[in-house]
Amino acid sequence: MPVENQLVQISLRDKFAEDDFHALFPQLNSFKLQNLLTPQVPIENLSVEVSDNIITPSAAPVPDCMVCGACCAFLLCVAVKPTDKTSDVHFWKIINKNKDGEIVVDQFMRRDSETAACVALDGKIGEGVGCNIYEERPQVCREFEAGSDKCHALRRAYGIEPPLTTERTLESLFRLELKASHTNSVDRLLYAKIVAHPETEESIIVAVMEDDSKQVIHIFNPNEENWLQSEFAGLTLHEALKLIRSRSKKYNED
């Protein structure tokens, strides 16, 4: 089935089995990229915070979000945390099976059935846009800063601002490689996986580290605690354990 037809079908759904969702993701990504300029630097490696910029000059003007919308159109997996106020009519629930039936392991904003952009995005990219749920938008959206390296890279991909020169592209790639070489990957999570406990009704959070090692960081009752895999992506092990201690009933009852 063409991706265009699949978009119409999935826009009507409210949940996906995790394997089905991740199988669909590459197709959605290809559909999104077909009308964009090829990114000059790896977008996934860029920061969303202006204070962490290593490519964008400090004197560069901050883009006006109301005439942009590139981030809302490009980022396919916009996580909705349990603490967000976003209505569940705006996001998909990603589920896995357990002994009681199923548990929600992730939540992502729905995509538009025609463009694959965020369902809450209104207007035309690069001309005039707005967010239909601005006051209830996810925390991930609030943390994405206008003027960050990732912001400018997405604007270039949509042709909203001019591309980097060859010299600046090479310099940017060198800076990203230098930053990566100074980053300790041993203590940072690549992602987390929530799986059913093989013997009980509990669920297990498994941390998959950037060095490919795995370790269990939490066991919880899904009827008492609500965790999502996307909450742990990119955290250090210390940060992940700190987050668990702050919300887990096991720690707060002691």
Side-chain angles (χ1 to χ4, degrees):
M1 181 186 297
V3 176
E4 293 87 345
N5 293 339
Q6 288 192 56
L7 276 172
V8 174
Q9 294 295 320
I10 66 176
S11 67
L12 302 176
R13 300 177 60 173
D14 58 1
K15 64 182 179 180
F16 288 87
E18 185 179 20
D19 289 346
D20 292 343
F21 181 80
H22 289 302
L24 176 67
F25 184 83
Q27 299 177 63
L28 291 178
N29 196 49
S30 296
F31 175 76
K32 174 194 68 179
L33 294 175
Q34 65 184 355
N35 294 319
L36 299 184
L37 300 174
T38 301
Q40 296 170 285
V41 294
I43 291 178
E44 65 275 10
N45 295 340
L46 301 179
S47 174
V48 300
E49 298 181 13
V50 173
S51 60
D52 289 339
N53 280 356
I54 61 174
I55 296 175
T56 307
S58 58
V62 177
D64 182 355
C65 295
M66 301 300 291
V67 292
C68 184
C71 60
C72 306
F74 186 90
L75 303 174
L76 291 178
C77 288
V78 177
V80 181
K81 299 180 180 180
T83 52
D84 287 332
K85 304 302 181 183
T86 310
S87 170
D88 60 7
V89 301
H90 297 302
F91 60 79
W92 287 317
K93 295 180 179 180
I94 313 302
I95 61 171
N96 274 334
K97 299 291 184 179
N98 68 0
K99 288 189 175 183
D100 290 332
E102 58 187 37
I103 58 171
V104 177
V105 298
D106 260 327
Q107 298 175 161
F108 297 114
M109 289 294 295
R110 292 173 180 263
R111 314 310 297 179
D112 182 83
S113 62
E114 295 183 0
T115 65
C118 176
V119 71
L121 180 65
D122 188 29
K124 188 171 183 180
I125 306 300
E127 294 185 11
V129 296
C131 175
N132 291 326
I133 58 165
Y134 186 77
E135 296 301 325
E136 292 80 37
R137 68 195 188 282
Q139 184 63 30
V140 170
C141 302
R142 300 170 189 270
E143 293 172 352
F144 193 107
E145 296 184 1
S148 64
D149 279 344
K150 184 167 287 190
C151 164
H152 284 287
L154 294 180
R155 286 168 58 81
R156 290 190 292 270
Y158 281 90
I160 300 173
E161 61 181 67
L164 299 174
T165 64
T166 300
E167 182 180 1
R168 280 199 62 201
T169 300
L170 293 174
E171 180 184 359
S172 299
L173 291 171
F174 173 76
R175 290 185 177 185
L176 286 172
E177 289 179 5
L178 186 62
K179 179 181 178 181
S181 68
H182 286 84
T183 300
N184 182 5
S185 64
V186 175
D187 192 40
R188 189 170 296 278
L189 277 70
L190 187 60
Y191 62 91
K193 185 76 173 175
I194 298 178
V195 297
H197 194 288
E199 298 177 355
T200 71
E201 297 179 354
E202 295 178 306
S203 294
I204 304 171
I205 302 178
V206 180
V208 181
M209 313 303 290
E210 288 192 356
D211 65 353
D212 290 328
S213 63
K214 299 178 180 66
Q215 59 181 297
V216 173
I217 57 175
H218 190 45
I219 300 176
F220 67 97
N221 185 332
N223 295 318
E224 297 178 352
E225 297 182 22
N226 187 5
W227 293 100
L228 301 176
Q229 296 172 159
S230 54
E231 294 185 85
F232 298 93
L235 298 182
T236 64
L237 185 58
H238 173 76
E239 291 169 338
L241 294 174
K242 183 178 179 180
L243 176 62
I244 290 169
R245 292 190 190 100
S246 70
R247 280 176 33 201
S248 173
K249 291 187 176 183
K250 291 183 179 179
Y251 294 97
N252 293 327
E253 290 175 353
D254 290 342

